[in-house]
Amino acid sequence: MLIDSHCHLDFPEFVEDRDDVIRRAREVGVRLMLTISTKITEADKIISLAEAYEDLVCSIGIHPHEAGSEPETSADELARIAAHPKVVGIGETGLDYYYEHSPREAQKKNFQSHISASRDTNLPLIVHARDADTDTAMILEEEAGKGSFPGLIHCFTAGPELAERALNIGMYISFSGIATFKNTQEIRDVIEIVPLDRILVETDAPFLAPTPHRGKRNEPSFVRHTAELIADIKGISYQEFIDISGTNFFKLFTKAIPPEKSGQPLTASSTS
């Protein structure tokens, strides 16, 4: 079961042809797409988008780039919005010290409120981490000491230490099309050490189109190229990998219901 575990179908890049983008994903076997929130002020918009397609679910949260401009949002408020049936995750949140579009302290406070919401709702925390490995690992470990929460680091581009520390507290690791680029051997090395039962695959569309589409607008149908690469690195067939990664998705995102259980097209649970 091929799943794009992280895309941004609400972004302007998809306004003109979103239906075609989703159709192309279905044609290559993508059974579910998780479209990710970056602004709490646009929560209604992303939820409405998820409601419009049976094979689309969403998250709610504030991206670290937006932590300084979006309204400060409590864990209780995040949990309240996340009660909607189509919301299956909290985030994306985390730390980005590469661009630093928001002050570091605002990013950290935002990150911690999202972790609390994840803990309270048992919805997975979707973590963005760029050039902030030490602080990301420290905050995750400190918060895990207060009580467990499910989650993953998406679009993983760091080294093995962050991967190992995240895995040690029960998190999953998701890989994007960056892993297919020629100059990213370090990411492929991390893929080798992450257990198969902790791997997810994503596009992060419209960004980071994988080889052979590099430089183009990314879209969920391209997730198959990253899945093929990971299967090759792990020495298993493509079908084996998408079965395993699909199972991993539903173990983590427990609010999403696999079609074989519901007898219906993929959608989200009617309960939180």
Side-chain angles (χ1 to χ4, degrees):
M1 187 181 299
L2 184 56
I3 295 170
D4 185 355
S5 67
H6 193 112
C7 56
H8 297 279
L9 292 177
D10 64 314
F11 276 22
E13 288 87 345
F14 296 112
V15 168
E16 293 185 358
D17 66 342
R18 189 180 293 114
D19 286 346
D20 289 337
V21 167
I22 291 174
R23 174 184 53 78
R24 286 193 290 271
R26 292 167 178 165
E27 287 174 351
V28 301
V30 177
R31 302 294 305 281
L32 184 66
M33 291 154 273
L34 172 51
T35 190
I36 302 295
S37 172
T38 59
K39 297 179 179 180
I40 200 67
T41 52
E42 296 183 358
D44 288 346
K45 183 181 79 169
I46 200 165
I47 289 171
S48 294
L49 177 60
E51 288 177 324
Y53 299 91
E54 288 189 319
D55 43 5
L56 193 62
V57 289
C58 68
S59 69
I60 59 100
I62 301 170
H63 192 287
H65 288 343
E66 314 296 340
S69 56
E70 286 286 291
E72 189 174 312
T73 305
S74 69
D76 287 346
E77 179 64 6
L78 289 166
R80 183 191 67 78
I81 300 170
H84 188 281
K86 277 283 190 169
V87 177
V88 302
I90 302 292
E92 66 183 284
T93 183
L95 305 174
D96 192 313
Y97 294 170
Y98 181 80
Y99 286 112
E100 296 202 81
H101 290 324
S102 292
R104 292 188 180 188
E105 288 307 310
Q107 292 187 45
K108 291 176 183 178
K109 189 171 184 179
N110 181 61
F111 192 14
Q112 289 165 330
S113 67
H114 283 62
I115 293 172
S116 294
S118 173
R119 186 187 295 115
D120 292 344
T121 61
N122 203 39
L123 294 178
L125 183 76
I126 301 159
V127 178
H128 172 108
R130 187 169 187 188
D131 282 15
D133 294 8
T134 300
D135 282 356
T136 298
M138 181 181 66
I139 291 173
L140 288 172
E141 289 167 346
E142 287 178 351
E143 291 292 332
K146 302 175 185 177
S148 63
F149 52 89
L152 78 158
I153 298 181
H154 101 93
C155 191
F156 194 88
T157 56
E161 181 181 352
L162 180 58
E164 290 168 355
R165 291 172 73 175
L167 291 167
N168 284 341
I169 61 170
M171 299 191 78
Y172 289 66
I173 307 291
S174 180
F175 296 97
S176 72
I178 294 177
T180 70
F181 300 171
K182 289 182 179 180
N183 61 344
T184 55
Q185 183 60 47
E186 184 180 44
I187 298 174
R188 293 188 287 276
D189 291 342
V190 173
I191 291 172
E192 289 188 1
I193 67 171
V194 175
L196 266 172
D197 64 358
R198 298 284 194 90
I199 290 180
L200 296 180
V201 65
E202 66 175 86
T203 58
D204 204 13
F207 313 111
L208 309 174
T211 304
H213 302 287
R214 189 173 183 183
K216 300 178 182 177
R217 180 194 67 176
N218 203 0
E219 60 180 70
S221 63
F222 296 169
V223 73
R224 63 191 306 266
H225 299 292
T226 306
E228 288 169 350
L229 172 77
I230 297 173
D232 184 61
I233 291 171
K234 289 297 192 181
I236 60 176
S237 71
Y238 173 74
Q239 186 61 52
E240 286 178 296
F241 175 71
I242 65 172
D243 287 347
I244 291 168
S245 60
T247 296
N248 294 344
F249 180 90
F250 290 109
K251 284 182 178 178
L252 180 60
F253 291 95
T254 56
K255 196 173 169 183
I257 301 175
E260 64 270 18
K261 290 187 178 180
S262 68
Q264 300 294 327
L266 279 170
T267 185
S269 170
S270 60
T271 64
S272 59

